[in-house]
């Protein structure tokens, strides 16, 4: 029988300052408040806090049934990371706004603060000024929070505020404000045990009316005369203010902020772990904290840490979200694809929007000079072992795109933190591109790494090659020698390979030539794909002492140094085949001179074949689609470059 459409009943209820329509789906017993946007504010600065925010956001998105608007007060680092992440995440019914912490620092920089969070630990005091004037209520969260329930339940507590209450807080679960933790321990004044500010309900509209900015400042000035500095940042000032104005606080049930710091009595807050709503990892020890239910808490946290964020892109039930220009453009492109096309999967892959987390680890870079060069490469988990070796061979900046799942990204984090080599290198930018789809998006990865290179020049390579020792300095000298600032040149670094997993790496060109003659090394891919590097002219390179020009030939795919403003890689090519060839063709079409460097080399290290090359070798349809994409690329080149591209079409037809 044909199923009847589920009946919908619509009724109205009123929230403070916001009429809301609820849709009750009677058949499924699910509720969606389509018009009730929940506002969440968070202060986030630096690389580590940006990673923490992602786990917090995942836990909120997992449970939510309402549209959300996140408000982030950030430094420049967190702004760059989070704006790129949310833009590529494309979660329906989620808005994100950013506010420059630099412009707020003067509001709190006068307050001496001993807390490890530094000046950013005081930023929550400025929210009435930082956030939009028409925003009346907001939930304020620390970055080390994990939700175990729908955040709408917490938002609903605003309705329980009395007319005078302006702040909702959970009581502090340690004895800190009782002043009995150690001898001569003198905390700031607080009401009883005080309150923890990891989770706050702020009634902004009322706070502004009572001139909050003036009141907290007067409180801080008064207490600092005797306390000299804060120990717990904004929390001390909030508590001193509440001590003087207890009628203004609404005490939240303690399960809305179960605090797992040292000396807490969080076990007294709940009977069953199923009662918990919010876990707060407010100990410097984080997951190593002592608690009888710590395994449950740790597993909850790890669940969201490694949860596939792509699954959170789902539409809210019964709440169609307004499409962004990006999603409208994407939908239009998808509708133009023919699902009966044999190569549909390849074309679909080009339109996949991958989540991108830039600068996943701490990153620091100071440009050496205007000749500086970044090594640009991409990799997945199976090439992770190459990172330490590359760092030993290349001392300059590196930009890497890593193709990983959420769980693999955490494995990589642990690997990097355990490696002395990687820990000591702060000029390596690790950009996570989260896995989605069935093909390896090799050229998307290259473009992510290329776009985020901080230098005027880039060395475009692959992660399974080791540069010769000293290549970084040699390339910088070559940039000057060949006047690359004022000319369009692509410097070719000749590529070699070894079949040995353990290699005594040559320290000079003479040593490499000796190993080449002995059969320890080979010119790269000479036995399987000689076309790829034959135009380098290895015979001439053996005796060359000055850079020499070579001409483009069909299927040439050298590794080159170019200005960063070079064309990007063509993202239609995924998996194996033609991904570098197409890029070199476009360099040639734009009249880049291909110059081979006489004293540079790189060596490919052996590894198991990738999954994509295995598919290429075993699948006729894969090879057919790659050929089809080549034809379309040639046609696009002809349209884009006219007569300059005719030689590529002729070369292609003669193959």
């Amino acid at each position: 029988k044909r199923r009847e459409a589920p009946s919908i009943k619509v009724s109205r209820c009123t929230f403070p300052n916001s009429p809301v329509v609820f849709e009750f789906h009677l058949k499924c017993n699910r509720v969606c408040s389509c018009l009730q946007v929940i506002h969440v504010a968070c202060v986030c600065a630096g690389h580590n806090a940006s990673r923490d925010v992602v786990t917090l956001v995942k836990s909120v998105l997992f449970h939510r049934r309402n549209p959300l608007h996140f408000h982030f007060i950030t430094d420049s680092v967190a702004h760059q990371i989070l704006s790129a992440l949310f833009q590529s995440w494309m979660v329906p019914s989620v808005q994100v706004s950013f506010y420059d912490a630099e412009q707020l620092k003067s509001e709190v920089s006068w307050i001496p603060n001993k807390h490890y969070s530094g000046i950013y630990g005081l930023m929550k005091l400025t929210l009435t000024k930082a956030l939009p004037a028409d925003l009346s209520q907001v939930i304020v969260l620390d970055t080390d929070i994990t939700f175990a329930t729908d955040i709408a339940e917490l938002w609903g507590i605003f309705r329980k505020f009395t007319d005078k209450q302006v702040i909702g807080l959970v009581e502090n679960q340690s004895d800190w404000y009782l002043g009995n933790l150690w001898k001569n321990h003198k905390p700031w004044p607080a009401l009883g045990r005080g309150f923890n500010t990891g989770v706050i309900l702020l009634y902004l509209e009322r706070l502004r009316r009572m001139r909050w900015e003036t009141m907290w400042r007067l409180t801080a000035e008064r207490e600092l005369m005797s306390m000299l500095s804060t120990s717990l940042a904004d929390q001390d000032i909030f508590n001193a203010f509440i001590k003087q104005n207890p009628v203004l606080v609404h005490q939240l049930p303690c399960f809305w902020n179960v605090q797992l710091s040292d000396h807490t009595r969080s076990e007294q807050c709940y009977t069953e772990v199923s009662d918990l709503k919010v876990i707060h990892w407010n100990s410097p020890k984080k997951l190593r904290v002592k608690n009888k239910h710590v395994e449950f808490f740790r597993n909850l946290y790890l669940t969201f840490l490694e949860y596939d964020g792509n699954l959170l892109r789902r539409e809210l039930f019964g709440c169609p979200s307004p499409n962004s220009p990006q999603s409208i453009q994407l939908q239009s492109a998808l509708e133009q694809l023919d699902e009966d096309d044999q190569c549909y999967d390849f074309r679909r892959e080009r339109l996949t929007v991958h989540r991108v987390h830039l600068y996943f680890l701490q990153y620091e870079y100071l440009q050496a000079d205007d000749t500086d060069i970044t090594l640009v490469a991409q990799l997945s988990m199976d090439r992770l072992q190459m990172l330490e070796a590359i760092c030993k061979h290349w001392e300059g900046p590196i930009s890497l795109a890593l193709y990983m799942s959420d769980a693999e990204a955490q494995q990589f984090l642990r690997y990097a933190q355990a490696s002395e080599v990687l820990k000591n290198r702060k000029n390596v930018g690790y950009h996570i591109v989260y896995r989605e789809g069935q093909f390896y998006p090799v050229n998307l990865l290259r473009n992510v790494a290329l776009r985020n290179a901080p230098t005027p020049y880039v060395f475009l390579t692959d992660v399974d090659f080791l540069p010769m020792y000293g290549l970084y300095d040699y390339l910088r000298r070559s940039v000057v020698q060949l006047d690359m600032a004022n000319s369009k040149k692509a410097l070719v670094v000749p590529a070699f390979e070894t079949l040995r997993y353990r290699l005594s790496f040559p320290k000079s060109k003479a040593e490499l030539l000796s190993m080449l003659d002995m059969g320890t090394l080979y010119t790269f891919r000479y036995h399987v794909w000689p076309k790829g590097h034959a135009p380098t002219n290895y015979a001439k390179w053996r005796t060359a002492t000055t850079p020499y020009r070579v001409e483009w030939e069909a299927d040439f795919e050298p590794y080159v140094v170019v200005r960063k403003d070079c064309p990007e890689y063509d993202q239609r090519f995924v998996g194996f085949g033609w991904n570098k060839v197409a890029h070199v063709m476009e360099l040639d079409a734009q009249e880049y001179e291909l110059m081979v460097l006489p004293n540079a080399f790189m060596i490919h290290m052996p590894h198991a074949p990738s999954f994509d090359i295995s598919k290429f070798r075993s699948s006729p349809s894969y090879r057919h689609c790659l050929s089809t994409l080549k034809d379309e690329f040639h046609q696009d080149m002809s349209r884009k470059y006219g007569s300059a591209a005719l030689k590529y079409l002729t070369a292609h037809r003669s193959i």
Side-chain angles (χ1 to χ4, degrees), residues 372-374 450 455-460 479 484 487-492 559-567 569 583 587 592-594:
D372 211 357
I373 302 171
T374 299
L450 173 59
T455 55
Y457 301 95
V458 288
F459 174 28
L460 305 176
V479 161
M484 286 186 66
S487 60
K488 294 175 80 171
K489 291 188 176 71
L491 311 186
V492 176
Y559 295 95
V560 296
V561 176
V562 289
R563 291 201 310 246
K564 189 193 169 182
D565 63 1
C566 69
Y569 290 85
H583 188 244
L587 289 176
Y592 277 72
E593 288 183 81
L594 295 167

Side-chain angles (χ1 to χ4, degrees), residues 124-180:
K124 284 184 277 189
L125 295 165
T126 72
L127 290 178
T128 52
K129 181 174 183 177
L131 299 180
D134 60 351
L135 182 59
S136 67
Q137 299 159 349
V138 68
I139 296 172
V140 187
L141 302 173
D142 280 356
T143 59
D144 52 0
I145 293 289
T146 305
F147 268 77
T149 192
D150 189 346
I151 196 171
E153 294 180 42
L154 180 58
W155 184 264
I157 295 178
F158 275 117
R159 287 175 287 164
K160 299 180 180 179
F161 278 34
T162 67
D163 291 342
K164 293 183 178 179
Q165 290 173 340
V166 296
I167 303 175
L169 291 165
V170 170
E171 186 180 56
N172 204 45
Q173 290 160 19
S174 80
D175 290 345
W176 177 272
Y177 286 109
L178 299 181
N180 58 12

Side-chain angles (χ1 to χ4, degrees), residues 6-12 21-26 30 32:
S7 55
I8 302 289
K9 178 183 178 183
V10 178
S11 62
R12 288 189 178 272
V21 176
F22 279 94
E23 293 184 2
F24 293 84
H25 194 308
L26 301 183
R30 297 178 69 182
C32 177

Side-chain angles (χ1 to χ4, degrees), residues 154 157 161 168-171 199-201 250-254 256:
L154 180 58
I157 295 178
F161 278 34
L169 291 165
V170 170
E171 186 180 56
V199 176
I200 316 175
L201 298 186
H250 179 93
Q251 185 167 335
L252 303 175
C254 66
W256 283 113

Side-chain angles (χ1 to χ4, degrees), residues 11 69 82 136 145 213 369 392 423 432 566 568 590 642:
S11 62
H69 191 153
L82 294 179
S136 67
I145 293 289
E213 291 168 38
D369 52 42
K392 291 176 181 176
K423 272 197 303 187
I432 305 293
C566 69
E568 291 193 345
Q590 291 193 10

Side-chain angles (χ1 to χ4, degrees), residues 62-176:
F62 181 83
H63 298 287
R64 64 109 183 207
R65 290 181 294 184
N66 289 67
L68 294 169
H69 191 153
F70 289 101
H71 302 264
F72 291 111
I73 292 84
T74 60
D75 65 351
S76 58
V77 169
H79 182 217
Q80 181 185 13
I81 294 170
L82 294 179
S83 59
L85 178 68
F86 277 98
Q87 185 176 7
S88 59
W89 203 342
M90 295 179 66
V91 184
S93 302
V94 169
Q95 283 183 274
V96 183
S97 299
F98 294 93
Y99 310 86
D100 187 359
E102 198 65 36
Q103 295 182 10
L104 299 168
K105 283 184 176 179
S106 60
E107 300 291 319
V108 292
S109 58
W110 57 275
I111 304 172
N113 177 28
K114 292 180 180 178
H115 194 257
Y116 60 80
S117 58
I119 195 168
Y120 296 99
L122 297 161
M123 288 287 176
K124 284 184 277 189
L125 295 165
T126 72
L127 290 178
T128 52
K129 181 174 183 177
L131 299 180
D134 60 351
L135 182 59
S136 67
Q137 299 159 349
V138 68
I139 296 172
V140 187
L141 302 173
D142 280 356
T143 59
D144 52 0
I145 293 289
T146 305
F147 268 77
T149 192
D150 189 346
I151 196 171
E153 294 180 42
L154 180 58
W155 184 264
I157 295 178
F158 275 117
R159 287 175 287 164
K160 299 180 180 179
F161 278 34
T162 67
D163 291 342
K164 293 183 178 179
Q165 290 173 340
V166 296
I167 303 175
L169 291 165
V170 170
E171 186 180 56
N172 204 45
Q173 290 160 19
S174 80
D175 290 345
W176 177 272

